[in-house]
Amino acid sequence: DDLDVAPPTPRFDDLMAELLMPGMMVELRGERLQQAGATTGLALALAIMGADQAEKGRSRRLLFIADPNVVRETGLVYAPGLVDFGLQSAELVHALPRRIEEALWLADAALTSRAFSSIVLEVFGNPKKFGLTESRRLSLKARATGGRLSVLRQAGEEEASSAALRLSVQTAPAAARILTDGTLLGGSIGFPAFRILAEKSRFPGRTELILEWNPDERRLRPFADTGSSGIGSPDSLPLLSTARDRSHRSQTLGSVVAFGPLLHRAS
């Protein structure tokens, strides 16, 4: 099992300690709605780890407050998939308020009740009714109650927030599954992997990491590529950029279409 695990680094350890600290509000941001699966997966992984670290006698249940606009485009969370992800159905409470005001009220009430080990608040884009004032109110409530709150901003831009830590989340290529004899299973897909970039943190410089989620152990760990899964393009992007002085923001792309150019077929 050590073959696919990179040795922990101080930066990884410090980052995880901050992410799982009680009384913290963190923000996970996906630039496009196509990345909703990755941002949601990382938020649930952190919530599961937070539940495992909950104090004795405290509830281990998670509250996921979904956004109807995101659900309309990506669908509801899939219960059998959650089980494969390491989350039992009894551990998750799913809510679907119709308006952002109701979602904010529910998050505040959940923090006050202390009935959940972690709360995930999903927000679509950058709604005007969830600005710095509302963000500060939730941050103070999380600090006062010792609750863990993750703001899951889907298809949103960077903006002023009271979150102590904000991460940009993207997908990363998964490694192939490792067999019991230590060899790789060609053509297989291993555990989910996430590329994260700390946009706001207390650490100097940029923190850019690839994390892998192990659903059996219910924990995130640094990812070390042990070989391609054999699926997808052989010219896939590197796990980490070699450029050190460029902006972390993606360059503006041209028009994105659903289909590539048609291939000529032999008659």
Side-chain angles (χ1 to χ4, degrees):
D1 196 39
D2 293 338
L3 293 177
D4 62 340
V5 182
T9 63
R11 180 157 292 189
F12 168 79
D13 294 336
D14 293 341
L15 180 64
M16 294 307 301
E18 187 172 8
L19 283 169
L20 299 175
M21 185 182 301
M24 289 284 291
M25 185 179 84
V26 301
E27 181 176 328
L28 308 177
R29 187 180 69 87
E31 295 183 355
R32 299 186 302 275
L33 201 56
Q34 293 93 326
Q35 299 171 342
T39 51
T40 302
L42 182 60
L44 290 177
L46 293 172
I48 292 172
M49 293 179 68
D52 290 344
Q53 294 183 7
E55 299 176 0
K56 184 177 181 180
R58 186 163 184 148
S59 173
R60 293 170 54 87
R61 290 181 300 174
L62 321 175
L63 175 61
F64 187 91
I65 307 173
D67 188 292
N69 296 299
V70 179
V71 169
R72 191 177 300 115
E73 295 294 328
T74 64
L76 293 168
V77 292
Y78 185 55
L82 292 178
V83 175
D84 292 339
F85 198 71
L87 182 64
Q88 300 303 316
S89 58
E91 294 179 298
L92 177 69
V93 177
H94 188 272
L96 187 60
R98 292 176 296 178
R99 301 183 302 160
I100 183 63
E101 298 92 332
E102 296 173 351
L104 295 175
W105 176 87
L106 183 56
D108 186 282
L111 287 169
T112 303
S113 69
R114 305 189 183 207
F116 303 94
S117 61
S118 296
I119 300 166
V120 178
L121 172 62
E122 185 176 59
V123 179
F124 177 64
N126 302 78
K128 293 182 179 179
K129 295 184 178 180
F130 182 45
L132 186 58
T133 300
E134 293 79 10
S135 172
R136 178 172 174 77
R137 184 179 299 118
L138 285 180
S139 177
L140 291 174
K141 181 57 67 71
R143 187 181 306 172
T145 60
R148 295 182 180 89
L149 174 62
S150 296
V151 176
L152 186 56
R153 192 179 296 278
Q154 307 281 23
E157 299 177 354
E158 294 183 57
E159 68 174 20
S161 169
S162 292
L165 180 64
R166 181 175 66 237
L167 302 179
S168 173
V169 184
Q170 299 179 8
T171 57
R177 288 190 176 273
I178 298 180
L179 301 177
T180 55
D181 60 357
T183 60
L184 299 177
L185 179 60
S188 65
I189 301 178
F191 295 136
F194 310 93
R195 175 183 179 271
I196 65 170
L197 173 64
E199 298 176 332
K200 176 184 178 183
S201 72
R202 60 185 178 87
F203 306 113
R206 298 194 308 157
T207 300
E208 187 174 12
L209 296 170
I210 302 292
L211 303 180
E212 183 182 60
W213 170 248
N214 188 319
D216 300 321
E217 300 176 1
R218 289 168 58 110
R219 67 182 180 93
L220 289 163
R221 58 191 184 184
F223 175 80
D225 189 13
T226 58
S228 170
S229 65
I231 295 179
S233 170
D235 301 320
S236 58
L237 296 176
L239 295 181
L240 290 177
S241 172
T242 56
R244 298 294 182 183
D245 56 351
R246 67 177 180 84
S247 172
H248 66 273
R249 295 177 177 85
S250 302
Q251 296 181 357
T252 303
L253 300 178
S255 301
V256 179
V257 296
F259 304 98
L262 295 176
L263 299 177
H264 294 289
R265 300 181 182 177
S267 57

